[in-house]
Amino acid sequence: AFLEFTRDRKSMSVLCEARGGAASGAGAAGGGGWRLFVKGAVESVLERCDFVMGASGQVAPLTPAARAEVEEAAAALCSGRAALRTLAI
């Protein structure tokens, strides 16, 4: 299942069944094998997040400091000569 991009949400989402059994991490409380992947504007996705997954795959609560770090990194990419468009996943 998927939710198409809308201007209101500024994101799109896809619900996928995890391979190899139950999903791990923060969303596995019910033991289900499903993952929701969201792609969209950094500020829009961040305001709906409670957890973050690090490069090693470790899931941790999204603290105010970690949220600020993501926002600062996105702002740095959007400014300057390159003015890159950023997306959160």
Side-chain angles (χ1 to χ4, degrees):
F2 67 95
L3 294 171
E4 294 183 8
F5 177 87
T6 67
R7 291 181 186 172
D8 294 332
R9 280 193 326 270
K10 295 182 182 178
S11 67
M12 58 94 48
S13 305
V14 178
L15 182 64
C16 300
E17 189 169 7
R19 292 185 182 177
S24 62
W34 295 90
R35 301 251 172 103
L36 180 67
F37 294 96
V38 180
K39 173 182 76 172
V42 174
E43 65 279 1
S44 176
V45 173
L46 267 182
E47 72 184 24
R48 293 179 272 160
C49 289
D50 294 323
F51 295 89
V52 63
M53 181 182 287
S56 66
Q58 185 77 355
V59 177
L62 182 59
T63 64
R67 185 180 304 270
E69 185 178 338
V70 172
E71 290 170 343
E72 289 172 15
L77 291 170
C78 293
S79 63
R81 297 180 96 200
L84 300 172
R85 180 174 176 217
T86 58
L87 294 173
I89 299 176

